[in-house]
mmCIF file of all heavy atoms in Angstrom:
data_model
loop_
_atom_site.group_PDB
_atom_site.id
_atom_site.type_symbol
_atom_site.label_atom_id
_atom_site.label_comp_id
_atom_site.label_asym_id
_atom_site.label_seq_id
_atom_site.Cartn_x
_atom_site.Cartn_y
_atom_site.Cartn_z
ATOM 1 N N GLY A 64 115.824 112.212 84.499
ATOM 2 C CA GLY A 64 116.990 112.614 85.215
ATOM 3 C C GLY A 64 117.153 114.055 85.252
ATOM 4 O O GLY A 64 117.507 114.699 86.355
ATOM 5 N N LYS A 65 117.015 114.754 84.053
ATOM 6 C CA LYS A 65 117.210 116.205 84.068
ATOM 7 C C LYS A 65 116.075 116.920 84.715
ATOM 8 O O LYS A 65 116.325 117.911 85.513
ATOM 9 C CB LYS A 65 117.274 116.637 82.557
ATOM 10 C CG LYS A 65 118.567 116.190 81.864
ATOM 11 C CD LYS A 65 118.614 116.848 80.510
ATOM 12 C CE LYS A 65 119.934 116.503 79.891
ATOM 13 N NZ LYS A 65 120.084 117.120 78.538
ATOM 14 N N VAL A 66 114.821 116.336 84.652
ATOM 15 C CA VAL A 66 113.728 117.057 85.251
ATOM 16 C C VAL A 66 113.834 116.902 86.799
ATOM 17 O O VAL A 66 113.632 117.811 87.546
ATOM 18 C CB VAL A 66 112.424 116.433 84.755
ATOM 19 C CG1 VAL A 66 111.125 116.898 85.588
ATOM 20 C CG2 VAL A 66 112.203 116.638 83.319
ATOM 21 N N ALA A 67 114.261 115.787 87.246
ATOM 22 C CA ALA A 67 114.462 115.451 88.609
ATOM 23 C C ALA A 67 115.492 116.385 89.219
ATOM 24 O O ALA A 67 115.336 117.001 90.302
ATOM 25 C CB ALA A 67 114.897 113.974 88.889
ATOM 26 N N ALA A 68 116.551 116.607 88.519
ATOM 27 C CA ALA A 68 117.618 117.493 88.987
ATOM 28 C C ALA A 68 117.158 118.987 89.026
ATOM 29 O O ALA A 68 117.404 119.712 90.031
ATOM 30 C CB ALA A 68 118.842 117.378 88.116
ATOM 31 N N ARG A 69 116.396 119.296 87.972
ATOM 32 C CA ARG A 69 115.799 120.682 87.944
ATOM 33 C C ARG A 69 114.913 121.098 89.107
ATOM 34 O O ARG A 69 115.033 122.116 89.688
ATOM 35 C CB ARG A 69 115.128 120.862 86.611
ATOM 36 C CG ARG A 69 114.240 122.054 86.495
ATOM 37 C CD ARG A 69 115.041 123.239 85.986
ATOM 38 N NE ARG A 69 114.172 124.322 85.549
ATOM 39 C CZ ARG A 69 113.905 125.382 86.260
ATOM 40 N NH1 ARG A 69 114.329 125.455 87.541
ATOM 41 N NH2 ARG A 69 113.060 126.334 85.835
ATOM 42 N N PHE A 70 114.170 120.130 89.548
ATOM 43 C CA PHE A 70 113.103 120.292 90.580
ATOM 44 C C PHE A 70 113.535 119.699 91.920
ATOM 45 O O PHE A 70 112.743 119.724 92.898
ATOM 46 C CB PHE A 70 111.678 119.900 90.198
ATOM 47 C CG PHE A 70 111.180 120.673 89.056
ATOM 48 C CD1 PHE A 70 111.180 120.129 87.659
ATOM 49 C CD2 PHE A 70 110.512 121.869 89.256
ATOM 50 C CE1 PHE A 70 110.715 120.895 86.666
ATOM 51 C CE2 PHE A 70 110.021 122.596 88.201
ATOM 52 C CZ PHE A 70 110.060 122.109 86.866
ATOM 53 N N ASP A 71 114.638 119.123 92.005
ATOM 54 C CA ASP A 71 115.268 118.526 93.226
ATOM 55 C C ASP A 71 114.378 117.518 93.808
ATOM 56 O O ASP A 71 113.984 117.500 94.955
ATOM 57 C CB ASP A 71 115.482 119.588 94.247
ATOM 58 C CG ASP A 71 116.387 119.204 95.282
ATOM 59 O OD1 ASP A 71 117.292 118.273 95.124
ATOM 60 O OD2 ASP A 71 116.425 119.720 96.448
ATOM 61 N N VAL A 72 113.911 116.585 92.940
ATOM 62 C CA VAL A 72 113.148 115.397 93.344
ATOM 63 C C VAL A 72 113.817 114.231 92.775
ATOM 64 O O VAL A 72 114.780 114.263 92.003
ATOM 65 C CB VAL A 72 111.685 115.460 92.828
ATOM 66 C CG1 VAL A 72 110.941 116.665 93.432
ATOM 67 C CG2 VAL A 72 111.686 115.625 91.338
ATOM 68 N N SER A 73 113.363 112.999 93.160
ATOM 69 C CA SER A 73 113.980 111.742 92.762
ATOM 70 C C SER A 73 113.559 111.411 91.314
ATOM 71 O O SER A 73 112.552 111.919 90.808
ATOM 72 C CB SER A 73 113.620 110.645 93.687
ATOM 73 O OG SER A 73 112.230 110.247 93.471
ATOM 74 N N LYS A 74 114.421 110.704 90.638
ATOM 75 C CA LYS A 74 114.150 110.294 89.256
ATOM 76 C C LYS A 74 112.905 109.413 89.267
ATOM 77 O O LYS A 74 112.048 109.487 88.265
ATOM 78 C CB LYS A 74 115.316 109.586 88.719
ATOM 79 C CG LYS A 74 115.175 109.085 87.303
ATOM 80 C CD LYS A 74 116.460 108.380 86.771
ATOM 81 C CE LYS A 74 116.263 107.903 85.402
ATOM 82 N NZ LYS A 74 117.382 107.044 84.996
ATOM 83 N N GLY A 75 112.762 108.563 90.271
ATOM 84 C CA GLY A 75 111.581 107.710 90.341
ATOM 85 C C GLY A 75 110.244 108.448 90.560
ATOM 86 O O GLY A 75 109.332 108.049 89.965
ATOM 87 N N PHE A 76 110.345 109.565 91.230
ATOM 88 C CA PHE A 76 109.112 110.440 91.290
ATOM 89 C C PHE A 76 108.718 110.944 90.023
ATOM 90 O O PHE A 76 107.511 110.921 89.592
ATOM 91 C CB PHE A 76 109.306 111.495 92.380
ATOM 92 C CG PHE A 76 108.150 112.530 92.415
ATOM 93 C CD1 PHE A 76 106.963 112.139 93.102
ATOM 94 C CD2 PHE A 76 108.246 113.783 91.838
ATOM 95 C CE1 PHE A 76 105.961 113.003 93.225
ATOM 96 C CE2 PHE A 76 107.142 114.587 91.936
ATOM 97 C CZ PHE A 76 106.047 114.241 92.647
ATOM 98 N N VAL A 77 109.697 111.397 89.212
ATOM 99 C CA VAL A 77 109.437 112.022 87.817
ATOM 100 C C VAL A 77 108.838 110.823 87.034
ATOM 101 O O VAL A 77 107.856 111.051 86.317
ATOM 102 C CB VAL A 77 110.670 112.570 87.230
ATOM 103 C CG1 VAL A 77 110.374 113.098 85.857
ATOM 104 C CG2 VAL A 77 111.105 113.709 88.021
ATOM 105 N N GLN A 78 109.444 109.655 87.034
ATOM 106 C CA GLN A 78 108.837 108.562 86.281
ATOM 107 C C GLN A 78 107.495 108.185 86.636
ATOM 108 O O GLN A 78 106.624 107.815 85.787
ATOM 109 C CB GLN A 78 109.835 107.336 86.449
ATOM 110 C CG GLN A 78 111.201 107.552 85.777
ATOM 111 C CD GLN A 78 112.195 106.443 86.146
ATOM 112 O OE1 GLN A 78 112.064 105.727 87.142
ATOM 113 N NE2 GLN A 78 113.188 106.257 85.228
ATOM 114 N N LYS A 79 107.241 108.199 87.922
ATOM 115 C CA LYS A 79 105.806 107.922 88.375
ATOM 116 C C LYS A 79 104.785 108.958 87.887
ATOM 117 O O LYS A 79 103.740 108.551 87.358
ATOM 118 C CB LYS A 79 105.825 108.002 89.915
ATOM 119 C CG LYS A 79 104.514 107.836 90.533
ATOM 120 C CD LYS A 79 104.578 107.888 92.058
ATOM 121 C CE LYS A 79 103.171 108.034 92.675
ATOM 122 N NZ LYS A 79 103.278 108.425 94.089
ATOM 123 N N ILE A 80 105.188 110.257 87.812
ATOM 124 C CA ILE A 80 104.369 111.220 87.381
ATOM 125 C C ILE A 80 104.097 111.166 85.844
ATOM 126 O O ILE A 80 103.021 111.282 85.404
ATOM 127 C CB ILE A 80 104.853 112.685 87.731
ATOM 128 C CG1 ILE A 80 104.903 112.851 89.207
ATOM 129 C CG2 ILE A 80 104.060 113.737 87.066
ATOM 130 C CD1 ILE A 80 103.577 112.844 89.865
ATOM 131 N N LEU A 81 105.218 110.765 85.129
ATOM 132 C CA LEU A 81 105.045 110.662 83.631
ATOM 133 C C LEU A 81 104.248 109.404 83.376
ATOM 134 O O LEU A 81 103.395 109.528 82.437
ATOM 135 C CB LEU A 81 106.446 110.460 83.109
ATOM 136 C CG LEU A 81 107.323 111.684 83.000
ATOM 137 C CD1 LEU A 81 108.778 111.326 82.539
ATOM 138 C CD2 LEU A 81 106.755 112.703 82.145
ATOM 139 N N LYS A 82 104.301 108.332 84.102
ATOM 140 C CA LYS A 82 103.500 107.111 83.905
ATOM 141 C C LYS A 82 102.041 107.551 84.190
ATOM 142 O O LYS A 82 101.159 107.042 83.444
ATOM 143 C CB LYS A 82 103.921 106.003 84.692
ATOM 144 C CG LYS A 82 103.195 104.805 84.556
ATOM 145 C CD LYS A 82 103.775 103.574 85.275
ATOM 146 C CE LYS A 82 103.006 102.386 84.989
ATOM 147 N NZ LYS A 82 103.489 101.233 85.687
ATOM 148 N N GLN A 83 101.801 108.251 85.240
ATOM 149 C CA GLN A 83 100.416 108.695 85.627
ATOM 150 C C GLN A 83 99.749 109.519 84.535
ATOM 151 O O GLN A 83 98.671 109.354 84.239
ATOM 152 C CB GLN A 83 100.437 109.438 86.878
ATOM 153 C CG GLN A 83 99.068 109.873 87.378
ATOM 154 C CD GLN A 83 99.079 110.551 88.711
ATOM 155 O OE1 GLN A 83 100.068 110.554 89.380
ATOM 156 N NE2 GLN A 83 98.059 111.180 89.038
ATOM 157 N N LYS A 84 100.628 110.366 83.938
ATOM 158 C CA LYS A 84 100.201 111.271 82.726
ATOM 159 C C LYS A 84 99.742 110.355 81.498
ATOM 160 O O LYS A 84 98.833 110.640 80.869
ATOM 161 C CB LYS A 84 101.261 112.297 82.454
ATOM 162 C CG LYS A 84 100.996 113.148 81.172
ATOM 163 C CD LYS A 84 99.855 114.089 81.439
ATOM 164 C CE LYS A 84 99.724 114.974 80.227
ATOM 165 N NZ LYS A 84 98.580 115.852 80.309
ATOM 166 N N GLN A 85 100.604 109.338 81.262
ATOM 167 C CA GLN A 85 100.266 108.492 80.139
ATOM 168 C C GLN A 85 99.000 107.620 80.417
ATOM 169 O O GLN A 85 98.256 107.582 79.496
ATOM 170 C CB GLN A 85 101.436 107.444 80.003
ATOM 171 C CG GLN A 85 102.644 108.045 79.326
ATOM 172 C CD GLN A 85 103.738 106.870 79.063
ATOM 173 O OE1 GLN A 85 103.909 106.050 79.875
ATOM 174 N NE2 GLN A 85 104.528 107.069 78.110
ATOM 175 N N THR A 86 98.794 107.138 81.609
ATOM 176 C CA THR A 86 97.736 106.271 81.877
ATOM 177 C C THR A 86 96.402 107.002 82.158
ATOM 178 O O THR A 86 95.314 106.479 81.629
ATOM 179 C CB THR A 86 97.913 105.303 83.128
ATOM 180 O OG1 THR A 86 98.240 106.096 84.271
ATOM 181 C CG2 THR A 86 99.070 104.366 82.806
ATOM 182 N N THR A 87 96.394 108.143 82.864
ATOM 183 C CA THR A 87 95.164 108.831 83.196
ATOM 184 C C THR A 87 94.965 110.089 82.367
ATOM 185 O O THR A 87 93.886 110.599 82.390
ATOM 186 C CB THR A 87 95.216 109.210 84.664
ATOM 187 O OG1 THR A 87 96.227 110.170 84.986
ATOM 188 C CG2 THR A 87 95.373 108.055 85.530
ATOM 189 N N GLY A 88 96.086 110.604 81.759
ATOM 190 C CA GLY A 88 95.939 111.847 81.021
ATOM 191 C C GLY A 88 96.114 113.053 81.984
ATOM 192 O O GLY A 88 95.939 114.182 81.527
ATOM 193 N N ARG A 89 96.362 112.832 83.242
ATOM 194 C CA ARG A 89 96.429 114.044 84.208
ATOM 195 C C ARG A 89 97.548 113.786 85.163
ATOM 196 O O ARG A 89 98.067 112.676 85.291
ATOM 197 C CB ARG A 89 95.090 114.044 85.055
ATOM 198 C CG ARG A 89 93.892 114.301 84.299
ATOM 199 C CD ARG A 89 92.700 114.617 85.146
ATOM 200 N NE ARG A 89 92.095 113.285 85.615
ATOM 201 C CZ ARG A 89 91.285 113.189 86.611
ATOM 202 N NH1 ARG A 89 90.880 114.266 87.225
ATOM 203 N NH2 ARG A 89 90.743 112.059 86.875
ATOM 204 N N VAL A 90 97.927 114.859 85.734
ATOM 205 C CA VAL A 90 99.010 114.650 86.816
ATOM 206 C C VAL A 90 98.553 115.314 88.138
ATOM 207 O O VAL A 90 99.364 115.711 88.909
ATOM 208 C CB VAL A 90 100.330 115.408 86.307
ATOM 209 C CG1 VAL A 90 101.062 114.643 85.298
ATOM 210 C CG2 VAL A 90 100.075 116.863 85.890
ATOM 211 N N GLN A 91 97.256 115.324 88.335
ATOM 212 C CA GLN A 91 96.617 115.797 89.633
ATOM 213 C C GLN A 91 97.019 114.678 90.659
ATOM 214 O O GLN A 91 97.089 113.453 90.416
ATOM 215 C CB GLN A 91 95.140 115.929 89.467
ATOM 216 C CG GLN A 91 94.804 117.146 88.544
ATOM 217 C CD GLN A 91 93.304 117.238 88.383
ATOM 218 O OE1 GLN A 91 92.521 116.190 88.476
ATOM 219 N NE2 GLN A 91 92.811 118.436 88.109
ATOM 220 N N PRO A 92 97.068 115.186 91.911
ATOM 221 C CA PRO A 92 97.373 114.245 93.004
ATOM 222 C C PRO A 92 96.271 113.169 92.995
ATOM 223 O O PRO A 92 95.038 113.485 92.974
ATOM 224 C CB PRO A 92 97.295 115.056 94.272
ATOM 225 C CG PRO A 92 97.607 116.336 93.753
ATOM 226 C CD PRO A 92 96.992 116.518 92.448
ATOM 227 N N ARG A 93 96.573 111.926 93.325
ATOM 228 C CA ARG A 93 95.607 110.880 93.605
ATOM 229 C C ARG A 93 94.999 111.058 94.945
ATOM 230 O O ARG A 93 95.518 111.717 95.769
ATOM 231 C CB ARG A 93 96.279 109.516 93.426
ATOM 232 C CG ARG A 93 96.792 109.189 92.047
ATOM 233 C CD ARG A 93 97.320 107.837 91.991
ATOM 234 N NE ARG A 93 97.985 107.600 90.794
ATOM 235 C CZ ARG A 93 98.642 106.475 90.429
ATOM 236 N NH1 ARG A 93 98.845 105.602 91.417
ATOM 237 N NH2 ARG A 93 99.138 106.349 89.269
ATOM 238 N N LYS A 94 93.773 110.306 95.039
ATOM 239 C CA LYS A 94 93.064 110.337 96.371
ATOM 240 C C LYS A 94 94.000 109.590 97.413
ATOM 241 O O LYS A 94 94.500 108.530 96.983
ATOM 242 C CB LYS A 94 91.804 109.689 96.244
ATOM 243 C CG LYS A 94 90.965 109.605 97.490
ATOM 244 C CD LYS A 94 89.724 108.943 97.329
ATOM 245 C CE LYS A 94 88.897 108.790 98.609
ATOM 246 N NZ LYS A 94 87.761 108.095 98.570
ATOM 247 N N GLN A 95 94.160 110.114 98.582
ATOM 248 C CA GLN A 95 94.999 109.439 99.591
ATOM 249 C C GLN A 95 94.097 108.363 100.224
ATOM 250 O O GLN A 95 92.886 108.396 100.337
ATOM 251 C CB GLN A 95 95.470 110.459 100.703
ATOM 252 C CG GLN A 95 96.507 111.405 100.182
ATOM 253 C CD GLN A 95 97.046 112.222 101.227
ATOM 254 O OE1 GLN A 95 96.367 112.442 102.269
ATOM 255 N NE2 GLN A 95 98.208 112.836 100.984
ATOM 256 N N GLY A 96 94.797 107.290 100.671
ATOM 257 C CA GLY A 96 94.096 106.151 101.292
ATOM 258 C C GLY A 96 93.540 106.520 102.719
ATOM 259 O O GLY A 96 94.127 107.410 103.360
ATOM 260 N N GLY A 97 92.535 105.936 103.006
ATOM 261 C CA GLY A 97 91.930 106.064 104.377
ATOM 262 C C GLY A 97 92.565 105.268 105.508
ATOM 263 O O GLY A 97 93.448 104.483 105.131
ATOM 264 N N SER A 98 92.148 105.512 106.674
ATOM 265 C CA SER A 98 92.701 104.705 107.739
ATOM 266 C C SER A 98 92.046 103.279 107.798
ATOM 267 O O SER A 98 90.895 103.162 107.461
ATOM 268 C CB SER A 98 92.489 105.418 109.078
ATOM 269 O OG SER A 98 91.148 105.657 109.388
ATOM 270 N N LEU A 99 92.796 102.428 108.378
ATOM 271 C CA LEU A 99 92.357 100.979 108.422
ATOM 272 C C LEU A 99 91.482 100.940 109.706
ATOM 273 O O LEU A 99 91.875 101.436 110.722
ATOM 274 C CB LEU A 99 93.459 100.008 108.519
ATOM 275 C CG LEU A 99 94.343 99.886 107.377
ATOM 276 C CD1 LEU A 99 95.536 99.013 107.617
ATOM 277 C CD2 LEU A 99 93.574 99.411 106.103
ATOM 278 N N LYS A 100 90.361 100.257 109.637
ATOM 279 C CA LYS A 100 89.550 100.038 110.757
ATOM 280 C C LYS A 100 90.016 98.830 111.571
ATOM 281 O O LYS A 100 90.477 97.883 110.971
ATOM 282 C CB LYS A 100 88.115 99.818 110.272
ATOM 283 C CG LYS A 100 87.487 100.952 109.685
ATOM 284 C CD LYS A 100 86.073 100.782 109.280
ATOM 285 C CE LYS A 100 85.549 102.027 108.578
ATOM 286 N NZ LYS A 100 84.212 101.915 108.181
ATOM 287 N N SER A 101 89.913 98.950 112.838
ATOM 288 C CA SER A 101 90.349 97.912 113.704
ATOM 289 C C SER A 101 89.484 96.665 113.557
ATOM 290 O O SER A 101 88.264 96.722 113.473
ATOM 291 C CB SER A 101 90.337 98.343 115.212
ATOM 292 O OG SER A 101 90.607 97.306 116.037
ATOM 293 N N VAL A 102 90.105 95.546 113.651
ATOM 294 C CA VAL A 102 89.364 94.312 113.603
ATOM 295 C C VAL A 102 88.584 94.069 114.886
ATOM 296 O O VAL A 102 87.527 93.439 114.945
ATOM 297 C CB VAL A 102 90.400 93.116 113.373
ATOM 298 C CG1 VAL A 102 89.600 91.795 113.360
ATOM 299 C CG2 VAL A 102 91.131 93.215 112.120
ATOM 300 N N LEU A 103 89.038 94.624 115.983
ATOM 301 C CA LEU A 103 88.424 94.540 117.328
ATOM 302 C C LEU A 103 87.173 95.430 117.464
ATOM 303 O O LEU A 103 86.416 95.072 118.383
ATOM 304 C CB LEU A 103 89.454 94.797 118.321
ATOM 305 C CG LEU A 103 90.715 93.932 118.408
ATOM 306 C CD1 LEU A 103 91.630 94.490 119.548
ATOM 307 C CD2 LEU A 103 90.346 92.528 118.544
ATOM 308 N N ASN A 104 86.881 96.356 116.623
ATOM 309 C CA ASN A 104 85.782 97.204 116.822
ATOM 310 C C ASN A 104 84.405 96.395 116.791
ATOM 311 O O ASN A 104 83.600 96.757 117.482
ATOM 312 C CB ASN A 104 85.727 98.303 115.717
ATOM 313 C CG ASN A 104 86.639 99.473 116.078
ATOM 314 O OD1 ASN A 104 87.085 99.536 117.255
ATOM 315 N ND2 ASN A 104 86.951 100.341 115.138
ATOM 316 N N SER A 105 84.367 95.426 115.953
ATOM 317 C CA SER A 105 83.147 94.661 115.833
ATOM 318 C C SER A 105 82.909 93.739 117.108
ATOM 319 O O SER A 105 81.769 93.395 117.429
ATOM 320 C CB SER A 105 83.119 93.749 114.650
ATOM 321 O OG SER A 105 84.145 92.770 114.714
ATOM 322 N N ARG A 106 83.865 93.577 117.842
ATOM 323 C CA ARG A 106 83.697 92.644 119.068
ATOM 324 C C ARG A 106 83.954 93.493 120.408
ATOM 325 O O ARG A 106 84.229 92.918 121.390
ATOM 326 C CB ARG A 106 84.746 91.534 118.983
ATOM 327 C CG ARG A 106 84.556 90.630 117.764
ATOM 328 C CD ARG A 106 85.329 89.397 117.880
ATOM 329 N NE ARG A 106 84.863 88.446 116.830
ATOM 330 C CZ ARG A 106 85.621 88.196 115.802
ATOM 331 N NH1 ARG A 106 86.803 88.630 115.552
ATOM 332 N NH2 ARG A 106 85.132 87.302 114.883
ATOM 333 N N ARG A 107 83.953 94.782 120.226
ATOM 334 C CA ARG A 107 84.156 95.637 121.501
ATOM 335 C C ARG A 107 83.222 95.290 122.580
ATOM 336 O O ARG A 107 83.650 95.215 123.676
ATOM 337 C CB ARG A 107 83.960 97.086 121.056
ATOM 338 C CG ARG A 107 84.320 98.018 122.248
ATOM 339 C CD ARG A 107 84.084 99.529 121.827
ATOM 340 N NE ARG A 107 84.936 99.791 120.724
ATOM 341 C CZ ARG A 107 86.074 100.453 120.740
ATOM 342 N NH1 ARG A 107 86.400 100.912 121.897
ATOM 343 N NH2 ARG A 107 86.743 100.670 119.651
ATOM 344 N N THR A 108 81.860 95.063 122.331
ATOM 345 C CA THR A 108 80.919 94.799 123.384
ATOM 346 C C THR A 108 81.247 93.416 124.078
ATOM 347 O O THR A 108 81.222 93.338 125.301
ATOM 348 C CB THR A 108 79.486 94.726 122.778
ATOM 349 O OG1 THR A 108 79.286 95.859 122.085
ATOM 350 C CG2 THR A 108 78.446 94.501 123.876
ATOM 351 N N LYS A 109 81.608 92.449 123.243
ATOM 352 C CA LYS A 109 81.950 91.207 123.789
ATOM 353 C C LYS A 109 83.196 91.293 124.738
ATOM 354 O O LYS A 109 83.211 90.755 125.804
ATOM 355 C CB LYS A 109 82.306 90.146 122.649
ATOM 356 C CG LYS A 109 82.624 88.769 123.192
ATOM 357 C CD LYS A 109 82.879 87.787 121.956
ATOM 358 C CE LYS A 109 83.314 86.495 122.383
ATOM 359 N NZ LYS A 109 83.631 85.606 121.311
ATOM 360 N N PHE A 110 84.214 91.990 124.266
ATOM 361 C CA PHE A 110 85.456 92.197 125.153
ATOM 362 C C PHE A 110 85.136 92.918 126.393
ATOM 363 O O PHE A 110 85.659 92.584 127.502
ATOM 364 C CB PHE A 110 86.557 92.840 124.286
ATOM 365 C CG PHE A 110 87.186 91.932 123.212
ATOM 366 C CD1 PHE A 110 87.445 92.453 122.039
ATOM 367 C CD2 PHE A 110 87.472 90.655 123.474
ATOM 368 C CE1 PHE A 110 87.988 91.634 121.010
ATOM 369 C CE2 PHE A 110 88.021 89.876 122.479
ATOM 370 C CZ PHE A 110 88.333 90.327 121.237
#
């Protein structure tokens, strides 16, 4: 709560970062997810 107020972020965000530090040992940003591929791409020729 104090850290969140100090940096003007949510308490949940601080908890998430602390948990990440405990589990991975780092607080570097995680890899972002990629875009989902369309289900229709495989059937484009048929359509």
Side-chain angles (χ1 to χ4, degrees):
K65 287 185 178 183
V66 174
R69 167 86 166 94
F70 293 101
D71 196 26
V72 295
S73 70
K74 183 179 172 184
F76 176 74
V77 174
Q78 290 171 335
K79 176 183 165 189
I80 296 297
L81 289 172
K82 184 174 182 179
Q83 183 179 342
K84 175 69 173 169
Q85 282 181 333
T86 57
T87 66
R89 299 187 277 167
V90 287
Q91 293 175 331
R93 294 181 183 175
K94 181 181 176 187
Q95 292 184 341
S98 61
L99 296 175
K100 294 182 180 178
S101 173
V102 178
L103 300 178
N104 278 344
S105 63
R106 297 191 171 112
R107 183 181 302 256
T108 305
K109 180 180 176 181
F110 289 137

